[in-house]
Amino acid sequence: MSAGGHPTEIAILAYPRAQSAAIHGLTDLFVEASRISRRLAGDAKAPPALRVTHWRPSSDGSDLELSFDTHPGRPSRPAVVIAPPTLAGPPIPETIRPFARWMRERHDKGATLCSICGGTFVLAESGLLNNRAATTHWGYAEELARLYPEIHVDGDKLIVEDGDIISSGGIMSWTDVGLKLIDRFLGSAVMLATARFFLIDTAGREQRFYSTFSPKLDHGDEAVLKVQHWLQKEDGHQATLAAMALHAGLEERTFLRRFRKATGLNPTEYSQRLRIGKARELLELTNRTIDQVAWAVGYDDPGSFRKTFHKLIGLKPGDYRKRFSVTPSAS
């Protein structure tokens, strides 16, 4: 509840390509949290704690207009503005500028800004993320960094909370952002009760648990591409610098320079990601022991495999298997 007894307003932006399911899902989440807040307080007649509004482009496209309000008739002063996720790829900059400007104006008046998945592009267009850390869907992270180079993009994080600005990654991370806001405005008891009602897992997650390695293949360097195809067939096995340079037909120093320029990784990092990707498949789909998985993907030292897996994925191999295995008897 905001000062003066009025509900805390949460504004959700219906920008082009915004996911309707997330807009309505967030609305349901906040409405239910208000109801749970009243129930836990023992006062069914208490005024609502949260107000949800939706905003769309005005008829001339120059500003935004109110399109939905859970508690109409009151002046609008959002405490939070949310740019929800997208499904059809990142939004086109020209179509989101009115929304970005609106977010900046509300931020100037004290609103906390949140972005989810592709919604981070809307927030980025406002300029408010310059020289700050942010995340987006792991598949969009490279494009976000290219379009907005002044942002410190961390595609591994599910949520980056920086006081007045919160960004999140995957499409379904709107549930995480929603619960975080409920916790902030209504407290942990209401947040946990809301999570239980919607069957939302509140345990800490990271995007890298789910993201897959997507190597750059459109760089135009045929010698490097030849090595990449070879490594893919070998799953990173036998990936010594000498073997890769020989396969590319290049001197080692020249190959190393061109490989890093083309892929953004050195050959060792690249082959590690391929091998760990194969290890994930084996952990998900087989009952092989961790040591057997390590040996299968080319690690002579299972301890080294465990450290590398944890570093890249954020979970130990055994914990990853418990979370993602599709083989019931896996252990």
Side-chain angles (χ1 to χ4, degrees):
M1 188 76 66
S2 63
H6 298 299
T8 298
E9 181 181 349
I10 300 176
I12 305 175
L13 304 182
Y15 64 90
R17 295 190 179 182
Q19 185 192 22
S20 297
I23 294 173
H24 296 295
L26 282 164
T27 302
D28 290 342
L29 192 72
F30 296 135
V31 168
E32 184 62 26
S34 277
R35 187 192 68 79
I36 289 172
S37 177
R38 292 196 296 271
R39 176 172 61 79
L40 293 181
D43 186 357
K45 296 182 179 180
L50 300 176
R51 171 191 182 187
V52 183
T53 56
H54 299 174
W55 297 83
R56 66 187 179 191
S58 58
S59 56
D60 63 4
S62 63
D63 202 355
L64 303 189
E65 63 182 18
L66 183 65
S67 61
F68 173 83
D69 191 344
T70 55
H71 300 88
R74 296 170 174 163
S76 172
R77 189 180 176 87
V80 177
V81 179
I82 301 176
T86 59
L87 281 178
I92 301 169
E94 292 76 12
T95 68
I96 56 175
R97 284 173 185 153
F99 294 89
R101 182 173 61 250
W102 199 84
M103 290 187 88
R104 188 179 188 97
E105 290 169 354
R106 297 309 173 279
H107 183 261
D108 289 343
K109 295 179 180 178
T112 295
L113 305 183
C114 302
S115 66
I116 302 162
C117 183
T120 301
F121 286 76
V122 184
L123 186 50
E125 189 67 23
S126 74
L128 292 169
L129 285 178
N130 291 352
N131 300 313
R132 297 180 72 162
T135 189
T136 184
H137 189 284
W138 60 268
Y140 301 161
E142 186 177 319
E143 180 70 1
L144 182 67
R146 185 186 69 81
L147 289 176
Y148 306 97
E150 294 185 10
I151 299 174
H152 307 305
V153 180
D154 187 346
D156 287 338
K157 294 282 184 66
L158 186 70
I159 290 185
V160 174
E161 184 174 9
D162 192 14
D164 58 336
I165 294 180
I166 300 171
S167 59
S168 70
I171 294 170
M172 291 302 296
S173 65
W174 62 263
T175 61
D176 301 88
V177 171
L179 291 178
K180 186 169 287 291
L181 292 173
I182 292 168
D183 188 24
R184 179 180 290 196
F185 292 111
L186 303 182
S188 297
V190 175
M191 182 274 287
L192 291 171
T194 304
R196 284 193 293 270
F197 181 83
F198 285 93
L199 298 181
I200 300 173
D201 183 6
T202 59
R205 296 182 288 147
E206 296 182 36
Q207 285 203 92
R208 56 181 172 165
F209 299 172
Y210 308 92
S211 64
T212 56
F213 176 48
S214 301
K216 294 181 183 178
L217 301 172
D218 58 352
H219 44 71
D221 191 323
E222 293 184 6
V224 171
L225 184 61
K226 181 181 178 182
V227 173
Q228 288 178 277
H229 289 324
W230 174 66
L231 289 172
Q232 199 72 45
K233 292 178 182 177
E234 297 291 326
D235 291 323
H237 289 202
Q238 312 301 324
T240 65
L241 176 59
M244 286 186 275
L246 180 64
H247 207 78
L250 298 171
E251 188 268 337
E252 287 187 16
R253 289 181 62 184
T254 301
F255 169 74
L256 185 60
R257 173 178 54 78
R258 284 172 57 172
F259 191 93
R260 186 190 294 273
K261 180 180 179 181
T263 67
L265 299 167
N266 68 43
T268 300
E269 293 169 335
Y270 188 95
S271 62
Q272 280 182 338
R273 280 163 172 75
L274 287 178
R275 293 155 76 186
I276 294 302
K278 180 62 176 178
R280 290 172 68 166
E281 292 181 16
L282 295 175
L283 290 169
E284 294 167 9
L285 302 174
T286 77
N287 284 318
R288 297 187 192 183
T289 67
I290 304 300
D291 286 2
Q292 288 172 333
V293 170
W295 296 325
V297 299
Y299 283 87
D300 295 329
D301 178 7
S304 176
F305 164 74
R306 286 177 167 84
K307 290 178 182 178
T308 302
F309 191 98
H310 191 207
K311 177 182 178 182
L312 294 181
I313 305 302
L315 291 170
K316 296 178 181 179
D319 293 335
Y320 182 88
R321 166 169 277 168
K322 289 176 183 177
R323 186 180 287 240
F324 296 108
S325 175
V326 296
T327 308
S329 60
S331 60

